[in-house]
Amino acid sequence: MNASNAPRKAVILVSGGMDSAVTIAMAREQGFDVHALSVAYGQRHSSELEASERVATMLGAVEHKTVHVDLRSIGGSALTADIDVPEEGGEGIPVTYVPARNTIMLSIALGWAEVLGSNDIFCGVNAVDYSGYPDCRPAFIEAFEELANVATKAGVEGAGIRIHAPLMQMGKGDIVREGMRLGVDFSATVSCYKADAEGRACGHCDACRLRAEGFAKAGVADPTHYVP
């Protein structure tokens, strides 16, 4: 196989939730071989990591890797410390924001992309129907791509690094519709901040609220497994 016929490799950050599942499906539609990457950062439960493996396999990833980083050792978030997860939205950046999480995860993805010889990294961040995290905004993605292209061999000597955030300007309803078009089984995904050991959602946290609103806006029956 010559270089022009070689498969295009992409590293996809996979959380186990609906957004990253749709992102995998979109990358596959674009012809990329998907190398799925999840990060066990000390989050409250393992259900989303189990969902990550399930979703990556279901959507045809070439491989799935989980890297361990202990963000619980620094805390600072309801997802990495003994802080209650709020059940109602509020003003400003919520307590479920994990300090530097997306910066750290994209950095790991960047390292793996270099090892694989990939110029493309995908993540499912969204700036429309989201929780207000600063690392889910266009300015962050643009800045990280600029950093990637001055901080790596691939950026300085190679073809450069592209950071793709295909869901950035999509509402949750649009994301659901796109996933349905691409055949994503949303029942296999886990979005809840407080999911139980079986992956069942609480139905009350911000992630559950945004997810439910997405299915409602799309006019699609909610396949989420909720705690009775």
Side-chain angles (χ1 to χ4, degrees), residues 18-19 88-98 101-102 124-141 167-175 191 193 205-214 217:
M18 60 187 294
D19 292 351
E88 294 182 1
E91 296 297 322
I93 298 171
V95 72
T96 50
Y97 162 70
V98 179
R101 177 177 59 180
N102 284 351
V125 296
N126 173 264
V128 180
D129 290 337
Y130 76 126
S131 297
Y133 302 151
D135 54 2
C136 288
R137 298 171 181 168
F140 167 72
I141 295 300
L167 310 185
M168 181 64 76
Q169 301 300 336
M170 297 172 67
K172 273 289 193 283
D174 298 322
I175 293 169
S191 301
Y193 293 143
C205 69
D206 200 33
C208 281
R209 179 181 59 79
L210 290 169
R211 180 181 170 110
E213 287 177 359
K217 289 176 180 177

Side-chain angles (χ1 to χ4, degrees), residues 3-221:
S4 62
N5 293 324
R8 292 192 300 161
K9 300 176 181 179
V11 175
I12 320 288
L13 283 171
V14 184
S15 68
M18 60 187 294
D19 292 351
S20 60
V22 175
T23 301
I24 292 178
M26 294 173 79
R28 290 270 290 143
E29 185 180 50
Q30 293 175 34
F32 286 100
D33 278 358
V34 168
H35 297 260
L37 174 66
S38 300
V39 180
Y41 60 83
Q43 53 266 65
R44 295 177 71 95
H45 58 78
S46 62
S47 298
E48 67 178 33
L49 293 171
E50 293 164 7
S52 297
E53 179 70 36
R54 184 166 63 241
V55 166
T57 300
M58 176 182 74
L59 293 174
V62 173
E63 62 178 320
H64 175 253
K65 182 186 296 291
T66 299
V67 173
H68 294 258
V69 179
D70 184 16
L71 295 186
R72 184 164 286 275
S73 65
I74 62 174
S77 167
L79 303 189
T80 57
D82 295 327
I83 301 170
D84 290 338
V85 173
E87 295 191 353
E88 294 182 1
E91 296 297 322
I93 298 171
V95 72
T96 50
Y97 162 70
V98 179
R101 177 177 59 180
N102 284 351
T103 304
I104 291 165
M105 293 196 295
L106 276 172
S107 296
I108 296 169
L110 177 60
W112 194 25
E114 278 212 283
V115 171
L116 292 170
S118 167
N119 302 109
D120 298 276
I121 299 170
F122 284 73
C123 60
V125 296
N126 173 264
V128 180
D129 290 337
Y130 76 126
S131 297
Y133 302 151
D135 54 2
C136 288
R137 298 171 181 168
F140 167 72
I141 295 300
E142 293 165 8
F144 191 91
E145 182 175 274
E146 184 176 353
L147 169 67
N149 281 294
V150 298
T152 61
K153 181 179 180 180
V156 174
E157 297 182 357
I161 299 291
R162 293 175 293 273
I163 309 297
H164 303 261
L167 310 185
M168 181 64 76
Q169 301 300 336
M170 297 172 67
K172 273 289 193 283
D174 298 322
I175 293 169
V176 170
R177 282 187 285 268
E178 181 71 354
M180 296 299 291
R181 183 185 72 79
L182 293 167
V184 174
D185 179 3
F186 286 113
S187 69
T189 66
V190 174
S191 301
C192 179
Y193 293 143
K194 300 192 293 182
D196 67 9
E198 298 175 39
R200 295 179 300 182
C202 73
H204 303 293
C205 69
D206 200 33
C208 281
R209 179 181 59 79
L210 290 169
R211 180 181 170 110
E213 287 177 359
F215 288 111
K217 289 176 180 177
V220 174

